[in-house]
Amino acid sequence: MTSGKLGYGMAALALFWGWQAQASSDINWQQTLAEARGQTVYFNAWGGSPEINSYLGWAAKELARDYRLTLVQVKVDDIAPSVSQLLAGKQAGKTRGGPVDLLWVNGENFKALKDNGLLGAPFSQELPNMALVDPSLPVDKDFTVAVEGLEAPWGLGQLNFMVDTDQVPEPPRSAKALLAWAKANPGRFSYPKPPQFHGTSFLKQMLLELAPDPSPLYRPATNAAFAQVTAPLWLFLEALHPSLWRQGKAFPASAAETKQLLDDGELAMAISFNPQEALSSVETGSLPPGVKAVAMYKGALTNSHFLAIPFNATARAGAKVVANFLLSPAAHGSQGRA
C-alpha cells in the first residue's frame, strides 16, 4: 500500500545526499533551456495549503528571473479530475497542445496515468539535479508502481497530527490510545472524508498499525485479500466514529477544514502530511501557540510525491526546467520553504 517508515515533510523536501550541484554542459539540456524560454507552464497542483501556494509563488518569481519562463499554478482540490481531463483528451485524439504541462502526483493517480498511456516519454534522467537525489530514498517506485523515469521526485511527506498540547498535554500516539482519547473527549477529533488524500492517509496509517501482518499492504491489492487484510480497520472505525466530531455522521471536506476547526477550538487535533506545518502555522498565527506536530510511536506513514509531464503537454521543455528547479538546492533552502 505504502511505506510506514519515518520520513520528511513537504516543507523539508529532503531529497539530497549532497549539495554540490554540477553545471550541466550537456548540449541536450542546453537545448531544453533554450526551448523553455518564453513558455508558460501550467502546473496542476493541490491548492489547499496557503504555505505551499506561497512557496510556488516564490518559485514562479525565481523561474521568471532565471529562466524567462512563466509558471502558473492551477490550484486543484484533487488531481484525479486532471487525470480524467487528460484521458478525455486522449480519447478525443488531442495529442498536442494539451491544457496541462506538469502535475503534482503520486499513488493511484500516477498508476492511472501510466496505465492509460497519459504520460510522455521518460524524462527524469534528463534533469541535471537528479544527480543530487539520495539513491537510497524510495523514489524508484510510487505506491509499488515502478516510476521508470515517467515522473521526477519532488519530496517526501509524513503523516502527523497537529495537536493543541494546551488541551492535550499527553497526545495519543497509537491507534489504541487515539480511540481511548476520542471516547474520553467526544467531538474533539475527526479526519477528512475519503477519498480526500489526508483522510485516506489516516486510514492507511491506522491499518498499518492495526494489521497483525502488514506485509500484504506493501504489495498490490487484490479483491480476494481485501476483506481479510482490512478487517481490523473497520472494527476500529466502528468503535471510533460515534466519538468523532458530529458523531461521525459528517466529516470535514479537507485538511484545510480540519485545520480551521483546530484553530476555532472545535477540534483538539488535525491531520497533516507536513511535519513543519504546525510550527509554520503557529509562527504565522493561523494556529494557537500550543499546537505541535506529533507522530505515532510505531512510525508515520511516509510517501514520495512526484512531478509528471502529460503526453500532450504544450510546454514540455518548460515543464522539465520547472521540475529541475524544484529539485535544486535553492528550491530546498530556507527561502523556498513552504
Side-chain angles (χ1 to χ4, degrees):
M1 181 177 289
T2 186
S3 172
K5 298 177 181 178
L6 290 174
Y8 297 91
M10 166 66 201
L13 293 172
L15 290 170
F16 300 115
W17 63 272
W19 289 93
Q20 297 301 314
Q22 298 295 322
S24 173
S25 59
D26 183 87
I27 189 169
N28 291 330
W29 183 247
Q30 297 306 316
Q31 290 173 345
T32 297
L33 292 174
E35 185 180 345
R37 293 175 75 89
Q39 290 188 340
T40 297
V41 177
Y42 290 95
F43 180 21
N44 284 32
W46 178 62
S49 167
E51 292 85 2
I52 295 173
N53 295 341
S54 176
Y55 166 75
L56 289 176
W58 168 84
K61 293 177 182 177
E62 298 292 301
L63 287 159
R65 183 193 67 204
D66 295 342
Y67 298 100
R68 300 295 188 267
L69 62 80
T70 301
L71 176 66
V72 177
Q73 181 192 2
V74 180
K75 300 181 180 72
V76 298
D77 294 328
D78 190 313
I79 209 68
S82 300
V83 177
S84 299
Q85 181 184 22
L86 291 169
L87 180 59
K90 182 177 182 180
Q91 292 171 340
K94 189 175 180 63
T95 59
R96 301 177 64 184
V100 182
D101 297 303
L102 193 64
L103 293 151
W104 183 14
V105 68
N106 72 355
E108 61 267 26
N109 289 310
F110 171 65
K111 185 177 187 301
L113 289 164
K114 186 177 181 183
D115 288 350
N116 289 285
L118 302 178
L119 299 172
F123 73 94
S124 64
Q125 293 307 314
E126 299 175 31
L127 309 181
N129 286 332
M130 276 296 294
L132 302 176
V133 177
D134 185 343
S136 71
L137 292 173
V139 295
D140 60 334
K141 290 185 179 179
D142 186 343
F143 283 74
T144 75
V145 178
V147 170
E148 297 179 327
L150 294 171
E151 53 183 5
W154 188 15
L156 300 175
Q158 180 193 68
L159 189 138
N160 66 97
F161 296 86
M162 297 189 293
V163 181
D164 189 340
T165 56
D166 289 337
Q167 300 185 51
V168 191
E170 298 183 6
R173 293 177 180 265
S174 69
K176 181 179 179 180
L178 177 61
L179 177 58
W181 183 90
K183 287 183 174 181
N185 300 271
R188 305 305 311 284
F189 177 69
S190 190
Y191 59 91
K193 184 179 180 179
Q196 196 277 342
F197 172 74
H198 292 79
T200 302
S201 296
F202 169 72
L203 299 185
K204 291 177 180 178
Q205 171 76 47
M206 295 299 100
L207 182 54
L208 277 165
E209 180 178 335
L210 294 166
D213 175 16
S215 60
L217 302 176
Y218 297 89
R219 299 192 291 266
T222 64
N223 291 333
F226 181 82
Q228 179 180 356
V229 170
T230 60
L233 176 64
W234 310 130
L235 291 173
F236 170 78
L237 294 177
E238 286 176 7
L240 177 68
H241 278 187
S243 299
L244 294 183
W245 177 73
R246 296 189 178 177
Q247 299 177 320
K249 296 177 180 178
F251 291 83
S254 65
E257 184 177 350
T258 62
K259 182 178 177 180
Q260 186 61 54
L261 290 168
L262 174 61
D263 187 44
D264 293 342
E266 286 196 55
L267 299 181
M269 59 183 78
I271 294 170
S272 173
F273 225 88
N274 175 2
Q276 300 298 322
E277 183 178 6
L279 176 60
S280 64
S281 297
V282 168
E283 289 176 345
T284 60
S286 58
L287 283 178
V291 173
K292 300 184 185 303
V294 175
M296 297 289 100
Y297 278 134
K298 288 190 175 181
L301 182 79
T302 301
N303 65 37
S304 305
H305 47 91
F306 298 84
L307 303 170
I309 302 176
F311 73 102
N312 61 356
T314 300
R316 182 173 173 84
K320 292 179 185 178
V321 173
V322 172
N324 189 64
F325 172 78
L326 292 176
L327 278 172
S328 70
H332 288 240
S334 60
Q335 71 271 46
R337 285 194 174 189

